[in-house]
């Protein structure tokens, strides 16, 4: 069963009518399906079952503690990019030895904290970061496990803002420079060279960029082995695409086969860092129509969610389906669905044909990933509440922010 499904025209989140959730918890509201999270995670576990592997959910996609908790209970590992995400994972019961740490700008404090808790691996993105980590580990009298993030210079064929594997991106170390950095790392006492890492971009719906990247990575793995540097894992990053409009989601079994085939007989554990694939389809954003208005030839549905709640349409021209949660009798018209924020880029969708009227609740679909986590308080708007549906129950997993808290740490001049 689809975790978000229609019965007699009414949208349900598992066994909850979305209209009831909007009534009980207010709008704007993010609703997550526990079962959807679990089944997406399980598709990686099933596909990689026969090969040693570790699934490290990319926390940045949705870092709500309840989401992390659901995945930690399945035995998931986590890919983090900040000390803040490290604290969240630990608070949700994630195991330190299943955490990998990505990101180009890890601070001294972040590296120290991660060494203290004993994470599984640091994904090193520059020689300067390697030097810093080695210095801190040495001073602490510990050995830091690392992989080096290689930038394979492949075109992920996705939006330029979410492409990360091209030479001109800030990520990783180039194929040309990587061998020298590996050699240096291998010679450092406080560093244990364990793996190779890459992440070429997000929302990939074709397997080809993965194939290209893997081919390059594996040739580097072999070249290093000849130099006596034997790696024990290959971290292939995340990026698996989902359906927002009419895309075919990446086939996880096919993707896994491609990785396993590329590895062949080599003794490499697979680490994968999926974010969107696990969290994206597992969430919707519910929002209520405040006003219907017409300007010139255009109809606008002004809703109570805005670009501060969901910035993907404004930032990446992302298209996400917008659907009324109940079938209505209003005439069908074309609308721009916009928020209350004072910016023309404040829209959730443009030119959508909808049969709606004032007061209706709409669902923005596939809003479980890169949605709440990218929200802000622009226009002094309190951030939305988050609810998780689990079995027949719905739990509030983040209270709606109250406006006073937004300026509680500010002060007037004496
Ligand atoms: N690993 C690393 C090192 C990453 O940088 C990312 C995402 C992931 C894993 C997870 O990628 P995923 O499986 O979710 O594609 N805000 C953008 C997406 C930014 C992705 C950043 N990195 C969006 O809303 O489309």
């Amino acid at each position: 069963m689809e975790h978000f499904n229609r019965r007699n025209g009414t949208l349900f989140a598992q066994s909850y009518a979305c209209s009831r959730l909007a009534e009980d918890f207010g709008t704007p509201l993010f609703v997550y399906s526990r079962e959807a999270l679990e089944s997406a995670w399980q598709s990686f576990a099933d596909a990689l079952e026969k090969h040693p592997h570790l699934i490290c959910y990319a926390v940045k996609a949705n870092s709500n503690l309840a989401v992390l908790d659901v995945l930690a209970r399945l035995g998931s590992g986590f890919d983090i990019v900040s000390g803040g995400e490290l604290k969240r994972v630990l608070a949700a019961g994630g195991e330190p030895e299943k955490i990998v740490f990505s990101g180009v700008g890890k601070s001294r404090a972040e590296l120290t904290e991660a060494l203290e808790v004993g994470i599984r691996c640091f994904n090193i993105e520059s020689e300067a970061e390697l030097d810093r980590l080695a210095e801190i580990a040495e001073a602490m009298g510990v050995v830091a496990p690392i992989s080096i993030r290689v930038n394979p210079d492949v075109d992920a064929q996705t939006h330029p803002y979410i492409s990360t594997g091209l030479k001109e991106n800030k990520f990783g170390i180039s194929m040309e420079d990587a061998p020298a950095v590996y050699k240096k790392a291998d010679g450092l006492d406080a560093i244990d060279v364990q793996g190779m890492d890459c992440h070429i971009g997000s929302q990939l719906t074709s397997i080809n960029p993965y194939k290209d990247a893997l081919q390059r990575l594996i040739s580097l793995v072999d070249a290093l082995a000849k130099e006596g540097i034997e790696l024990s894992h290959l971290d292939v990053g995340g990026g698996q695409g989902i359906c927002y409009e009419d895309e075919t989601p990446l086939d996880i079994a096919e993707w896994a086969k491609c990785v396993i085939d590329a590895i062949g007989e080599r003794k490499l554990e697979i680490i994968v860092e999926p974010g969107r694939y696990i969290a994206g389809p597992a969430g919707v954003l519910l929002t209520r129509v405040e006003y219907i208005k017409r300007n010139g030839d255009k109809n606008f549905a002004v809703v109570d969610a805005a670009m501060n709640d969901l910035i993907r349409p404004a930032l990446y021209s992302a298209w996400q389906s917008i659907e009324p949660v109940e079938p209505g009798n209003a005439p069908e018209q074309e609308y721009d669905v916009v928020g209350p924020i004072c910016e023309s880029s404040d829209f959730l969708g443009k030119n959508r044909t909808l049969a709606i009227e004032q007061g209706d609740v709409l669902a923005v679909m596939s809003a479980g990933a890169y949605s709440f986590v990218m929200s802000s308080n622009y226009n002094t708007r309190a951030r939305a509440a988050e609810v998780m549906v689990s079995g027949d129950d719905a739990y509030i997993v983040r209270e709606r922010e109250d406006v006073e808290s937004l300026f509680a740490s500010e002060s007037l001049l004496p």
Side-chain angles (χ1 to χ4, degrees):
M1 187 191 75
E2 278 291 314
H3 308 284
F4 291 95
N5 61 88
R6 293 230 172 230
R7 297 182 210 169
N8 296 326
T10 296
L11 183 68
F12 277 74
Q14 297 183 188
S15 55
Y16 260 85
C18 286
S19 46
R20 195 177 133 207
L21 291 167
E23 216 47 68
D24 290 352
F25 298 101
T27 53
L29 181 72
F30 284 95
V31 178
Y32 307 128
S33 153
R34 176 180 188 170
E35 268 103 284
L37 289 167
E38 290 175 336
S39 84
W41 188 91
Q42 198 59 45
S43 54
F44 284 93
D46 292 345
L48 293 170
E49 192 188 25
K50 295 205 171 66
H51 197 101
H53 69 273
L54 179 64
I55 303 164
C56 291
Y57 166 68
V59 174
K60 64 170 80 69
N62 185 326
S63 57
N64 185 287
L65 289 194
V67 171
L68 304 182
D69 175 32
V70 163
L71 299 175
R73 288 185 204 208
L74 299 176
S76 189
F78 296 93
D79 166 45
I80 60 164
V81 288
S82 70
E85 288 190 351
L86 175 60
K87 289 208 169 75
R88 278 184 179 272
V89 169
L90 298 177
E95 299 167 58
E97 58 277 14
K98 290 184 181 172
I99 296 175
V100 297
F101 196 165
S102 304
V104 293
K106 304 177 194 82
S107 69
R108 282 182 183 278
E110 288 174 326
L111 292 170
T112 306
E113 281 163 30
L115 281 169
E116 275 165 3
V117 303
I119 66 163
R120 164 72 197 264
C121 194
F122 292 85
N123 292 341
I124 295 293
E125 302 234 14
S126 64
E127 195 176 340
E129 183 191 338
L130 176 68
D131 293 341
R132 181 182 275 186
L133 179 63
E135 182 201 314
I136 297 171
E138 200 177 321
M140 288 171 69
V142 296
V143 174
I146 68 141
S147 81
I148 288 179
R149 177 166 176 182
V150 173
N151 185 330
D153 194 25
V154 298
D155 183 0
Q157 293 153 18
T158 185
H159 190 282
Y161 284 12
I162 50 178
S163 278
T164 47
L166 283 171
K167 251 191 193 148
E168 64 258 34
N169 299 132
K170 67 178 173 181
F171 300 99
I173 295 177
S174 71
M175 292 288 293
E176 298 77 57
D177 296 342
V181 183
Y182 267 108
K183 265 180 227 153
K184 176 173 181 180
D186 195 43
L188 295 169
D189 289 342
I191 296 290
D192 178 22
V193 179
Q194 295 196 343
M196 187 177 293
D197 167 44
C198 98
H199 171 78
I200 54 176
S202 197
Q203 183 55 12
L204 272 61
T205 50
S206 159
I207 203 91
N208 294 331
Y210 284 107
K211 278 194 181 144
D212 293 349
L214 279 161
Q215 207 184 7
R216 294 183 193 195
L217 257 52
I218 290 290
S219 67
L220 187 53
V221 168
D222 289 346
L224 292 172
K226 282 202 190 107
E227 305 267 341
I229 302 175
E230 293 277 356
L231 304 182
S232 55
H233 78 246
L234 186 64
D235 180 339
V236 289
Q240 294 81 6
I242 62 169
C243 175
Y244 285 106
E245 189 170 8
D246 51 10
E247 310 90 331
T248 308
L250 199 79
D251 182 328
I252 299 307
E254 189 193 349
W255 165 86
K257 186 175 180 309
C258 155
V259 180
I260 292 168
D261 286 351
I263 288 177
E265 295 298 307
R266 298 170 189 86
K267 297 233 165 330
L268 290 169
E269 180 184 4
I270 298 169
I271 296 183
V272 58
E273 304 169 354
R276 187 190 316 267
Y277 193 91
I278 291 176
V284 300
L285 169 61
L286 302 183
T287 180
R288 200 177 284 277
V289 179
E290 294 278 12
Y291 301 102
I292 298 280
K293 68 179 279 187
R294 191 176 172 89
N295 271 0
D297 290 339
K298 253 198 166 345
N299 297 310
F300 292 92
V302 185
V303 298
D304 63 3
M307 66 191 288
N308 75 299
D309 300 297
L310 182 69
I311 203 173
R312 303 191 68 257
L315 192 58
Y316 315 115
S317 309
W319 192 99
Q320 294 185 219
S321 177
I322 302 176
E323 307 172 4
V325 300
E326 297 284 351
N329 299 319
E332 265 196 355
Q333 297 211 62
E334 202 169 273
Y335 291 98
D336 280 6
V337 180
V338 301
I341 284 182
C342 307
E343 301 249 2
S344 293
S345 58
D346 180 25
F347 64 91
L348 300 180
K350 286 190 171 168
N351 306 319
R352 302 302 176 88
T353 303
L354 295 163
I356 53 171
E357 56 193 337
Q358 188 170 321
D360 283 357
V361 175
L362 309 181
V364 185
M365 307 304 289
S366 302
Y370 304 113
S371 301
F372 181 87
V373 283
M374 295 179 78
S375 64
S376 76
N377 295 117
Y378 189 35
N379 281 202
T380 306
R381 285 171 52 84
R383 281 181 295 176
E386 295 174 284
V387 161
M388 172 96 64
V389 178
S390 170
D392 290 332
D393 296 307
Y395 300 92
I396 184 106
V397 294
R398 192 180 207 272
E399 299 281 352
R400 187 173 304 286
E401 269 176 347
D402 86 287
V403 171
E404 282 69 27
S405 74
L406 302 186
F407 51 85
S409 58
E410 298 173 25
S411 39
L412 303 175
L413 292 178

